[in-house]
Amino acid sequence: MSARRREIIDLDRPAAWPTDLRRTLMTHHDALQSREIGPLSDRFDAAIYEIVDALQPYSLVGWHCTRLADPEVADIMANGVSLLDVGLVSRRVDAAVGTGLLASDHGARLKAKNQAAEQNRAGKLWFCFFRPAIAGESGIGDLLRFWGGEAVYNSHDRDDEIGPIIAAIGSPAIVEAEVPIAWLGDRGLGLALNVGRRFVVAEGTPSQEPLHIECNIKQALPAELIRNVHLHPSAEFQHLTGCGDWHRPL
């Protein structure tokens, strides 16, 4: 799909959503409301799939929490963000060894033991579509403390030798991007459910479920969709993460 810029939907401002999307939501208000008050309407599934279609032309602003070495920041700004796979892990590790950030034996250990090939990780790139601070230190702290991404550090962060090494590489970073909804892994089915719930809540129906959502995409993001890479300790990074109030400072 084209990386052309698309109109951005602000999930927190339902009243400002595009007219065509709001028309679809209003048409199915009662079916969407049934999910919150019961019983579930037999028209609910059809309503959600119409919302999926209505969302396809638009984008969201998303944030990806990670830790990056300086050359990696420059590469993202120039070339965009790649999807996770074993090859990406190998390239990042080899580059870190080549620039002296990692010893070759430590690099070999990271390449030999990681979770990049796992089904729930491979070929995906995750974004949260809410200010990351909402997830709190428990939700995003380790993503920012350890280099390599969760698929790498999950296997090594508690290791007394290599844990401190990957915690010393690079800087905590938030990649801010325009994410086309059509690129979401499920075409935005989870997002459509979320948007339907947000709509009926905005119309006055309370919900017991959280409104914050994160999703993965299955297409690499090109550079033109990267809005910024916010690095610790910039003011915008601190605003996005709320890290100034954390129990363990970054």
Side-chain angles (χ1 to χ4, degrees):
M1 288 189 182
S2 169
R4 62 180 175 81
R5 307 292 283 271
R6 302 159 184 245
E7 181 179 348
I8 293 173
I9 294 175
D10 184 343
L11 290 178
D12 293 328
R13 299 177 60 220
W17 290 349
T19 301
D20 60 329
L21 174 59
R22 285 189 56 82
R23 185 182 301 117
T24 299
L25 291 163
M26 287 187 282
T27 298
H28 297 292
H29 175 275
D30 291 350
L32 297 170
Q33 185 185 50
S34 73
R35 187 186 187 200
E36 311 306 324
I37 65 176
L40 188 67
S41 169
D42 59 4
R43 295 182 289 110
F44 179 79
D45 287 352
I48 291 300
Y49 283 109
E50 284 196 33
I51 297 169
V52 169
D53 290 339
L55 287 168
Q56 295 304 294
Y58 302 106
S59 289
L60 301 175
V61 175
W63 293 274
H64 176 76
C65 301
T66 187
R67 190 178 182 99
L68 299 170
D70 288 347
E72 293 175 321
V73 175
D75 182 66
I76 286 173
M77 294 303 297
N79 301 307
V81 186
S82 301
L83 300 179
L84 175 67
D85 60 20
V86 172
L88 175 63
V89 169
S90 292
R91 292 191 298 274
R92 291 188 70 189
V93 168
D94 288 344
V97 170
T99 55
L101 295 174
L102 269 175
S104 58
D105 59 329
H106 292 143
R109 287 172 58 183
L110 295 180
K111 290 198 291 185
K113 185 179 181 182
N114 61 72
Q115 300 169 1
E118 291 188 357
Q119 184 175 2
N120 66 325
R121 299 184 187 277
K124 299 177 181 179
L125 178 64
W126 285 89
F127 285 88
C128 60
F129 299 107
F130 55 86
R131 189 164 71 96
I134 293 170
E137 182 176 7
S138 62
I140 63 173
D142 282 356
L143 293 168
L144 300 170
R145 288 192 176 98
F146 297 100
W147 177 84
E150 190 175 41
V152 172
Y153 74 68
N154 259 356
S155 302
H156 302 279
D157 58 333
R158 306 304 178 220
D159 183 281
D160 290 341
E161 179 183 355
I162 205 165
I165 292 171
I166 57 177
I169 296 175
S171 302
I174 304 287
V175 179
E176 180 178 318
E178 296 179 22
V179 180
I181 293 170
W183 294 9
L184 296 181
D186 56 2
R187 284 190 75 239
L189 180 60
L191 177 65
L193 291 164
N194 181 267
V195 164
R197 169 167 284 133
R198 286 175 182 267
F199 175 72
V200 297
V201 167
E203 293 293 306
T205 301
S207 175
Q208 301 303 311
E209 299 295 324
L211 296 179
H212 307 303
I213 184 170
E214 59 183 54
C215 302
N216 67 76
I217 60 173
K218 293 188 174 182
Q219 183 164 329
L221 275 182
E224 55 263 39
L225 297 183
I226 305 301
R227 289 161 64 102
N228 212 329
V229 179
H230 304 287
L231 298 177
H232 179 271
S234 72
E236 184 61 17
F237 178 93
Q238 295 191 53
H239 168 72
L240 285 170
T241 64
C243 63
D245 298 324
W246 287 3
H247 178 69
R248 291 174 55 201
L250 286 173

